[in-house]
Amino acid sequence: MADLAPVIAIDGPGGSGKGTIAMRLANRLGWRLLDSGALYRLVAVAALDRGIEANDGVALAQLAAGLDAAFGVGDGGMVVRLEGRDITARLRSEQVSAFSSKAAAFPDVRAALVGLQRGFRKPPGLVADGRDMGTVIFPDARLKIFLTASAEARAERRLKQLKEKGENVNLPRLFREIKKRDERDRSRAVSPLIPAPDAHLIDSTELSIDEVVHKVLKLLEESGISS
Ligand code: DC
């Protein structure tokens, strides 16, 4: 059955490097990749376009249930389409980051996205990154990683990313936004950002991407999943 494909769950806060690590692993293993945060971000983009407020849980859940999203690969990396339009450039903006974190706190929004996320699980395997991959969406994942980094390090990484995209941001504001988003993601009643009991914790504050990938590959080897 397709749902027996192995899953590697990589959870953690924004800026911990989980997206990059997940992509590297998926490429290396030839497995599919699920960037679950992108789904919450897509709900945010769709809501902003329709003038739906971040506190309107009913409308947001409806949007999530009917999400018409497509993921592809272009010259510059992942391409994300919403209702056929390429919205990749908007996906990582601070406005969408803040909105998606608010939308993700509604249980009905989360429930509406469960089936879509589990649908990514296909042979030969799936690398899934997010907040609740190991706790809620794929509790039977073969390997669970919880990746952290200090809020300062994450703010600096985000600053670099956003500057490269030409967004006008400053470090103190980014730091405040990250702390606020962490607090919201950790304290929400449904699927809060917490490590699964069987997750391996990796702190990437002082580690390069290569060093984190190396650590995960070692854990993979130890867990018996071949690379
Ligand atoms: O990983 P990210 O920064 O792209 O995620 C955007 C928002 O979506 C984040 O604030 C929390 C939410 N999210 C979530 O609640 N559960 C997930 N599995 C992934 C993301």
Side-chain angles (χ1 to χ4, degrees):
M1 226 166 78
D3 64 0
L4 290 179
V7 175
I8 300 174
I10 306 194
D11 291 305
S16 58
K18 63 192 157 56
T20 311
I21 306 296
M23 199 181 295
R24 291 264 194 110
L25 280 170
N27 285 340
R28 163 110 186 202
L29 297 165
W31 289 11
R32 298 186 88 199
L33 177 68
L34 166 61
D35 170 4
S36 61
L39 300 180
Y40 292 94
R41 288 173 182 272
L42 276 162
V43 172
V45 172
L48 287 163
D49 285 354
R50 286 169 172 76
I52 292 170
E53 303 283 339
N55 60 7
D56 189 347
V58 174
L60 291 172
Q62 267 169 9
L63 268 187
L67 204 60
D68 174 10
F71 296 87
V73 182
D75 294 341
M78 191 167 78
V79 175
V80 184
R81 289 181 197 282
L82 179 66
E83 289 143 17
R85 286 172 298 125
D86 181 351
I87 53 90
T88 317
R90 294 172 63 196
L91 212 57
R92 311 258 151 221
S93 72
E94 279 307 291
Q95 185 193 26
V96 170
S97 296
F99 196 114
S100 62
S101 168
K102 289 177 193 158
F106 289 105
D108 289 350
V109 171
R110 306 197 68 84
L113 294 176
V114 170
L116 188 57
Q117 294 174 87
R118 291 194 176 141
F120 279 74
R121 185 179 195 170
K122 299 225 170 84
L126 175 70
V127 182
D129 103 59
R131 305 291 191 288
D132 60 347
M133 297 297 98
T135 49
V136 176
I137 307 296
F138 303 111
D140 61 336
R142 292 264 281 272
L143 179 67
K144 299 180 186 177
I145 305 290
F146 194 84
L147 198 59
T148 56
S150 70
E152 289 83 356
R154 289 185 287 124
E156 270 165 27
R157 289 173 190 172
R158 199 65 124 192
L159 182 77
K160 204 167 150 241
Q161 270 176 1
L162 292 172
K163 271 196 169 161
E164 277 164 10
K165 287 186 182 141
E167 268 204 50
N168 185 17
V169 281
N170 69 65
L171 193 58
R173 210 191 80 202
L174 265 184
F175 182 73
R176 278 199 305 276
E177 289 295 320
I178 279 185
K179 295 283 273 187
K180 227 188 325 184
R181 203 145 65 92
D182 279 359
E183 183 51 34
R184 201 158 41 219
D185 292 348
R186 284 200 181 107
S187 62
R188 67 176 172 233
V190 178
S191 301
L193 174 63
I194 42 158
D198 50 348
H200 298 267
L201 264 65
I202 299 178
D203 184 337
S204 74
T205 307
E206 306 285 343
L207 298 176
S208 69
I209 290 166
D210 282 344
E211 285 169 328
V212 178
V213 169
H214 183 74
K215 265 183 189 275
V216 178
L217 286 174
K218 234 178 115 202
L219 288 167
L220 255 181
E221 230 177 79
E222 287 163 14
S223 74
I225 303 176
S226 61
S227 47

